[in-house]
Amino acid sequence: MAIDTKRLQAIIDEKLKPVVKKVDEQAFYAEDYIIALGEAGFFDSTTKDEATILQDEAFVVLETAKVCMTTAFCVWCHLAALTYIRKSSNHYLRTALLPKLENGELLGATGLSNPMKFYSGLEKLHLSAEKVEGGYVINGILPAVSNLGKRHYFGAIASVGEQEVMVLVSTQTKGLELKEKVGFIGVNGSATYTCKFDHVFIPQEQVIAELAGAFCDVIRPTFIYYQVPLGAGVISAAAEGIEKVKAKQNGCNEHLQVQAGKLYDNYDRIMNELYVQAKNVSLKSIVETRLQAVQDTLEAVQANMLHNGAAGYVAGSVASRKLREAYFFANLTPTVRHLEKLKVKL
């Protein structure tokens, strides 16, 4: 790993920890934190091989998720967008936009929840495109795209006849209407919007891949890889929460079946798998890791609630926030049921 851990922790302490409750309770979007990560070079890929990029950026997601998984999810959204461009053959995107996305000048989002489900036979594709001179015109609605704002770009896939095209969309594009979605029990501060495309023109220079289906096969393992540390961070935080209350009620918590030691063992196993898989990420192995990470995360937050007792049920408690974060992790695309289907097919 080639990452400045002290610098990362300093940014977390300065930009994230003070706003965690605001993120959870007031749907505050910690945009400044993600920008600071970019400015500090944590998304810079210019001098790293692919394995180091994966390991370093997964570590950023992990450390963020220990404090606030909602914001870590936003970091994951940004990393997904980086992945699209890094693996695209589009010279303009790689030379003109990628550096700005890596240095925090611009931020990115995924936009592929619906297409990932489409390619697994779970949903119909929500966007359609028409090939025109100089690019594509896109219509349709994406129900939820997270990590959006004024300086943001996101990936989108639309049907074009019998195939699909993948493009990069600026939130400032004419004909694109964004409507904020809030009221979730978790991840309120994820800057999530419904995106309505009304004859949105996307120039050819913003086409990520003409053959979107084949391109998704390329990016899917990395897409899922970056999700795993979301759960690992929550597991670590839950284990820490259990240790903090071990003396509660004269140490009675020692009789509970799941203790912090088991959570740390699960955490270590997940991190070791991520380290190994970074050198050659395969869809089959990362799907299995991601699926197990969900089960481990759910076990961890439930144990943390039991160890905290009544204090965990107080509104605003860390234990209850971690519980809600874990359920979001389980339902993040690919969801548990989606992962189970993928596992059978692989």
Side-chain angles (χ1 to χ4, degrees):
M1 189 166 62
I3 196 167
D4 186 344
T5 56
K6 290 184 178 179
R7 178 67 177 132
L8 174 59
Q9 194 57 55
I11 295 173
I12 290 173
D13 291 344
E14 178 187 351
K15 299 286 188 179
L16 185 57
K17 285 185 178 179
V19 299
V20 171
K21 287 183 70 67
K22 195 175 177 183
V23 169
D24 186 44
E25 298 172 9
Q26 300 175 36
F28 177 77
Y29 172 42
E31 181 179 13
D32 289 347
Y33 169 72
I34 307 172
I35 292 171
L37 292 176
E39 291 175 341
F42 287 105
F43 305 131
D44 185 10
S45 65
T46 54
T47 61
K48 300 177 181 179
D49 60 28
E50 186 169 0
T52 304
I53 292 169
L54 288 172
Q55 290 165 355
D56 285 356
E57 292 179 342
F59 185 77
V60 173
V61 175
L62 169 76
E63 293 300 311
T64 305
K66 289 178 180 179
V67 177
C68 176
M69 203 202 78
T70 295
T71 304
F73 164 63
C74 291
V75 173
W76 169 77
C77 292
H78 183 67
L79 294 177
L82 293 182
T83 300
Y84 306 158
I85 300 176
R86 288 169 180 169
K87 293 187 178 294
S88 173
S89 59
N90 184 316
H91 180 73
Y92 169 78
L93 294 181
R94 292 175 63 87
T95 58
L97 283 188
L98 182 59
K100 294 180 179 180
L101 285 161
E102 289 190 341
N103 69 23
E105 186 176 340
L106 298 174
L107 296 179
T110 116
L112 293 202
S113 178
N114 165 242
M116 288 297 185
K117 293 171 184 172
F118 166 73
Y119 286 121
S120 290
L122 306 181
E123 291 184 356
K124 293 181 179 179
L125 202 58
H126 293 329
L127 300 181
S128 61
E130 179 185 354
K131 179 70 172 172
V132 297
E133 184 177 352
Y136 291 86
V137 173
I138 299 179
N139 287 282
I141 297 175
L142 292 179
V145 181
S146 300
N147 198 49
L148 293 184
K150 293 182 179 179
R151 65 173 76 199
H152 297 56
Y153 282 78
F154 63 97
I157 291 178
S159 61
V160 188
E162 297 300 313
Q163 61 186 48
E164 303 82 41
V165 64
M166 183 170 177
V167 298
L168 193 70
V169 185
S170 166
T171 54
Q172 302 300 305
T173 305
K174 182 180 178 181
L176 179 67
E177 179 184 339
L178 272 60
K179 184 176 181 181
E180 188 172 15
K181 298 187 71 171
V182 292
F184 302 107
I185 65 167
V187 299
N188 251 344
S190 58
T192 298
Y193 293 81
T194 296
C195 299
K196 182 179 179 181
F197 290 71
D198 185 4
H199 294 86
V200 172
F201 174 71
I202 302 296
Q204 191 68 35
E205 64 183 12
Q206 288 175 221
V207 173
I208 297 172
E210 297 281 1
L211 300 175
F215 186 74
C216 276
D217 289 340
V218 173
I219 63 174
R220 190 180 284 109
T222 304
F223 183 95
I224 297 174
Y225 179 95
Y226 281 133
Q227 292 179 342
V228 176
L230 292 169
V234 173
I235 292 169
S236 177
E240 183 179 335
I242 288 173
E243 289 188 324
K244 283 182 178 179
V245 296
K246 64 183 179 182
K248 197 169 188 175
Q249 295 185 341
N250 293 321
C252 190
N253 281 354
E254 69 180 18
H255 300 291
L256 289 169
Q257 291 184 15
V258 180
Q259 297 292 327
K262 181 181 181 183
L263 305 191
Y264 282 127
D265 286 345
N266 291 341
Y267 169 85
D268 289 341
R269 188 198 70 253
I270 291 170
M271 297 310 297
N272 182 65
E273 289 179 11
L274 284 179
Y275 178 80
V276 172
Q277 291 181 39
K279 299 170 184 177
N280 183 23
V281 187
S282 73
L283 185 58
K284 178 177 174 57
S285 62
I286 200 61
V287 162
E288 291 175 350
T289 297
R290 167 79 160 84
L291 192 54
Q292 186 58 51
V294 170
Q295 303 304 331
D296 292 343
T297 304
L298 292 173
E299 179 185 48
V301 295
Q302 176 169 295
N304 192 27
M305 288 292 288
L306 294 177
H307 279 260
N308 274 270
Y313 293 85
V314 176
S317 73
V318 175
S320 69
R321 174 160 54 84
K322 292 301 171 189
L323 183 77
R324 290 180 282 110
E325 288 177 344
Y327 277 101
F328 173 74
F329 179 57
N331 284 288
L332 169 62
T333 300
T335 63
V336 170
R337 56 192 175 188
H338 188 172
L339 289 164
E340 292 285 10
K341 182 175 182 179
L342 283 172
K343 185 179 177 181
V344 170
K345 291 175 62 178
L346 293 172

